[in-house]
Amino acid sequence: MKLRDKPVFGVRGAGIFFIASVFILLISSCVTQRDVEYIQDKSKTAKTFSEAILGDYRLKPNDELYIQITSLDDAAANIFSASGSQQMYYIATIQPYGASLMSFTIDKEGYVLLPVIGKILVKDKSTSEVSEIIKTSLTNILSQPVVTVKLVNRYVSVLGEVRNPGHFAYAQDKLTILDAIGMAGDITDYANRSEVILTRNENGKNIRIPIDLSKSEILASNYYYIRPNDIVYVKPMKKKFWGMREFPYNVILGTITTALLIYTVIK
């Protein structure tokens, strides 16, 4: 009898061990509520954060500028419009976020070439500063000139564990990192909200910035706002490997049923 009891005990022990292992595996692969929450805070009351600092964007070579010039003398102002001379130095581009724009490209030395005015140094200047420079240059040419300068190439790339990764254009002056993720259809249940990487080019150097979207302090971070041509990468959770959505339910449940049946017959 003792010799026959050993195999039965072995099967029973193996079955219990297998079922326990599967149960632990299932539990460890679950995504909790805290895993999918943004800007968490222990306090349940309203909390105020100072607005994140967003300095003026400084223009760089290869940036595209939309420049509109109007004045009381429409005939003279038309020289600077797309309907003017065919020898104007402009590059016409159609942006996905809106209308067709006539853009002027900043060359590698940081200059932009305009009709009549000539070359203007715009590198490391803001669009408002460029507008004032052009307006000053036109005071002796046009009557009460009004100059509008907009940055055309406003893009952000959102990659990683998001529903619709891609390269997105935007028009607003202020775009938050949460807005950018929203443009990508939000992040998935298996995204690691505490490990988001922002890549930004500043002064010719690429900077890697770790961001934690699960903390409410992100609202006051200097990296809360997106800069043109930023890249946002959302890391996946480690538990995605055993993610419930990809978990082989049929195989596991079938194996458990078979093991229980064998155990019952042997017992």
Side-chain angles (χ1 to χ4, degrees):
M1 291 297 295
K2 292 183 179 179
L3 294 176
R4 293 183 58 187
D5 288 344
K6 289 183 179 179
V8 175
F9 177 78
V11 172
R12 178 166 52 182
I16 294 174
F17 176 77
F18 177 78
I19 294 173
S21 300
V22 172
F23 178 75
I24 294 173
L25 185 61
L26 289 172
I27 293 299
S28 64
S29 66
C30 292
V31 177
T32 65
Q33 181 178 346
R34 291 186 63 83
D35 290 334
V36 297
E37 289 183 350
Y38 291 104
I39 51 177
Q40 301 173 30
D41 201 300
K42 294 181 179 179
S43 175
K44 300 299 181 181
T45 59
K47 197 172 182 179
T48 303
F49 294 89
S50 299
E51 185 176 5
I53 298 174
L54 180 64
D56 291 332
Y57 175 77
R58 297 294 166 177
L59 298 172
K60 299 179 293 186
N62 298 319
D63 277 346
E64 300 283 337
L65 296 178
Y66 166 65
I67 302 175
Q68 182 185 48
I69 300 174
T70 58
S71 76
L72 296 178
D73 186 357
D74 291 338
N78 285 338
I79 297 175
F80 301 93
S81 68
S83 60
S85 172
Q86 294 298 320
Q87 296 181 355
M88 289 172 56
Y89 294 91
Y90 64 82
I91 299 177
T93 59
I94 300 178
Q95 296 304 311
Y97 61 78
S100 174
L101 302 176
M102 291 299 178
S103 62
F104 294 83
T105 304
I106 301 175
D107 63 24
K108 61 182 181 179
E109 283 80 25
Y111 289 87
V112 64
L113 182 60
L114 298 177
V116 181
I117 300 175
K119 277 190 173 185
I120 296 178
L121 180 63
V122 298
K123 181 182 177 182
D124 297 328
K125 300 185 184 301
S126 66
T127 54
S128 59
E129 290 173 344
V130 173
S131 177
E132 286 299 321
I133 293 173
I134 297 176
K135 183 178 179 180
T136 302
S137 303
L138 292 171
T139 51
N140 297 326
I141 301 175
L142 300 177
S143 175
Q144 299 182 22
V146 176
V147 180
T148 301
V149 179
K150 295 290 185 180
L151 180 67
V152 172
N153 55 303
R154 293 181 184 271
Y155 297 101
V156 59
S157 297
V158 186
L159 308 173
E161 200 62 29
V162 293
R163 302 188 190 283
N164 300 303
H167 190 61
F168 305 97
Y170 65 96
Q172 58 267 45
D173 291 332
K174 288 187 175 182
L175 184 80
T176 70
I177 189 170
L178 296 177
D179 292 330
I181 290 175
M183 295 169 68
D186 200 4
I187 58 184
T188 69
D189 292 341
Y190 289 98
N192 193 336
R193 286 157 175 76
S194 62
E195 292 192 28
V196 177
I197 303 300
L198 176 66
T199 303
R200 175 173 295 174
N201 184 283
E202 289 186 352
N203 301 320
K205 296 181 179 179
N206 290 322
I207 305 174
R208 180 185 182 275
I209 306 160
I211 294 177
D212 188 350
L213 294 180
S214 67
K215 304 297 183 183
S216 58
E217 285 74 14
I218 183 63
L219 300 174
S221 170
N222 290 337
Y223 303 108
Y224 181 58
Y225 288 107
I226 291 295
R227 289 287 191 175
N229 304 314
D230 277 354
I231 300 174
V232 179
Y233 171 66
V234 182
K235 286 187 175 182
M237 295 181 186
K238 293 181 180 179
K239 62 181 64 178
K240 182 186 177 182
F241 180 75
W242 296 109
M244 294 293 287
R245 291 181 181 176
E246 293 82 19
F247 203 81
Y249 289 108
N250 294 334
V251 175
I252 296 299
L253 293 177
T255 305
I256 292 174
T257 303
T258 303
L260 291 175
L261 179 61
I262 294 175
Y263 169 72
T264 302
V265 171
I266 294 177
K267 185 177 179 181

